[in-house]
Amino acid sequence: MQTHKYISEILYQISVGIIYLLAALITLRYTAINDTAFLLWPSSGIALAILIRFGAKYAIGVFLGAFSTGLFVGDSYLTIGLITLGNTLEPLFALYLLKHLIFSKTLYRLYDYIVLILAGSISAVVSASFGVGVRVLTGYLPISNFFDTALRWWMGDVLGILLLTPLIVVLLLMRPI
């Protein structure tokens, strides 16, 4: 019985990673502003929704999906690792903020939606800072483009959170697990 539990948990983590990766691959294909920032990054919204609904332990699946995305892009392992760290810390930080801001995942109140957007907006700074910072440090992006690219990265993450997280959270709450 215990082995079945571990296998199920591994499969759930892999499923989260695959969902993150598929959303990222679609985004990479269709919404590029430049090679570093995207108009919409749905993976951020999906990752936060999964962590809100199922808990922080699924950050492992988010990490797997973000790392797989980096492998697909073809970055160096150091770049992939640091960007993946930022992409994983983003929903974890948002989840932390939500736990301290009296948030209800039912989203019945306007307050809950506003708090979700606030936490998502603040946490997106983490991912944008890591991602663009790594691009600057590796010489892929000139330092003069840091702020503009970080702002676009942040906006893509926030838009993914704004559009997808509430929808997914509500849909997942309607379905018993």
Side-chain angles (χ1 to χ4, degrees), residues 1-173:
M1 184 67 168
Q2 196 69 10
T3 305
H4 181 267
K5 179 182 172 188
Y6 290 125
I7 291 172
S8 293
E9 189 62 36
I10 290 169
L11 291 175
Y12 286 139
Q13 295 287 358
I14 291 171
S15 297
V16 169
I18 289 171
I19 291 167
Y20 186 103
L21 175 64
L22 290 174
L25 292 178
I26 291 168
T27 303
L28 289 168
R29 175 83 170 123
Y30 295 108
T31 68
I33 294 173
N34 58 39
D35 290 340
T36 303
F38 297 88
L39 180 62
L40 169 68
W41 192 253
S43 297
S44 291
I46 292 168
L48 181 54
I50 288 170
L51 267 56
I52 288 170
R53 179 60 176 98
F54 301 110
K57 69 181 181 180
Y58 287 97
I60 296 167
V62 171
F63 184 89
L64 292 172
F67 193 83
S68 299
T69 302
L71 291 174
F72 179 81
V73 170
D75 288 332
S76 70
Y77 288 116
L78 177 61
T79 301
I80 293 170
L82 292 173
I83 291 174
T84 298
L85 180 61
N87 288 343
T88 306
L89 288 175
E90 176 186 44
L92 283 171
F93 186 52
L95 190 65
Y96 172 81
L97 291 173
L98 291 173
K99 287 186 181 197
H100 290 85
L101 291 174
I102 311 168
F103 170 75
S104 171
K105 60 183 167 185
T106 59
L107 294 172
Y108 287 147
R109 302 173 299 175
L110 177 61
Y111 172 82
D112 296 322
Y113 186 73
I114 291 169
V115 167
L116 175 66
I117 299 310
L118 177 67
S121 298
I122 293 169
S123 68
V125 172
V126 174
S127 178
S129 299
F130 267 81
V132 178
V134 168
R135 296 286 189 202
V136 168
L137 290 174
T138 58
Y140 182 80
L141 190 69
I143 188 105
S144 60
N145 291 358
F146 179 86
F147 183 74
D148 182 52
T149 306
L151 181 62
R152 291 173 192 266
W153 187 306
W154 174 83
M155 288 188 321
D157 284 3
V158 170
L159 192 54
I161 291 168
L162 174 76
L163 294 175
L164 291 176
T165 301
L167 174 68
I168 294 169
V169 166
V170 169
L171 288 174
L172 289 174
L173 284 175

